[in-house]
């Protein structure tokens, strides 16, 4: 019974922290759309919101084929001073891509 109480307290504290942390992140990115340009590139449109515009944020964008293999990847450097923006980026690919996504965004 003691172990269950400890797990509940520690787990509950972590859940409260993570709920607050992830509901109010340093930056947020949202996929809007993607569109195949040709067999060697795909265009991705996404929005980014940055809490601290003095942070240098880079978003890694990836293109995938039918089997979900990464066929193209690019790092999109968000201009300093940006609080929110809609970005449109072409990802060069080695094979035809069927979708594009935001892999991650991070600060330098």
């Amino acid at each position: 019974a003691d172990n269950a109480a400890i797990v509940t307290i520690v787990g509950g504290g972590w859940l409260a922290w993570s709920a607050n942390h992830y509901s109010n992140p340093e930056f947020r990115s949202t996929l809007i759309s993607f569109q195949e340009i040709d067999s060697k590139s795909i265009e991705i449109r996404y929005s980014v919101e940055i809490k601290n515009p003095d942070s240098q944020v880079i978003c890694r964008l990836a293109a995938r084929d039918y089997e979900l293999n990464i066929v193209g990847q690019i790092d999109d450097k968000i201009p300093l001073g940006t609080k929110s923006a809609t970005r449109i980026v072409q990802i060069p690919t080695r094979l035809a891509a069927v979708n594009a996504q935001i892999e991650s965004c991070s600060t330098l």
Side-chain angles (χ1 to χ4, degrees):
D2 289 339
N3 285 345
I6 291 170
V7 168
T8 302
I9 292 168
V10 171
W14 181 84
L15 281 174
W17 172 84
S18 65
N20 180 52
H21 180 73
Y22 290 109
S23 66
N24 196 9
E26 289 299 307
F27 35 84
R28 177 174 294 157
S29 59
T30 306
L31 175 67
I32 297 171
S33 65
F34 53 83
Q35 174 183 342
E36 182 182 359
I37 302 299
D38 55 35
S39 64
K40 294 290 184 191
S41 67
I42 191 167
E43 182 179 271
I44 183 171
R45 178 188 297 256
Y46 72 101
S47 65
V48 64
E49 295 173 39
I50 301 167
K51 193 187 295 184
N52 178 1
D54 296 330
S55 299
Q56 178 62 71
V57 175
I58 288 190
C59 292
R60 175 158 289 172
L61 312 173
R64 295 182 184 270
D65 67 10
Y66 280 110
E67 296 172 353
L68 300 180
N69 299 307
I70 293 178
V71 294
Q73 191 167 286
I74 193 167
D75 288 339
D76 185 29
K77 195 172 186 179
I78 311 301
L80 272 176
T82 300
K83 269 193 164 298
S84 70
T86 297
R87 308 281 296 163
I88 301 170
V89 179
Q90 277 197 19
I91 305 171
T93 61
R94 55 186 171 80
L95 299 169
V98 295
N99 75 32
Q101 66 189 54
I102 306 157
E103 290 286 300
S104 62
C105 290
S106 58
T107 53
L108 282 182

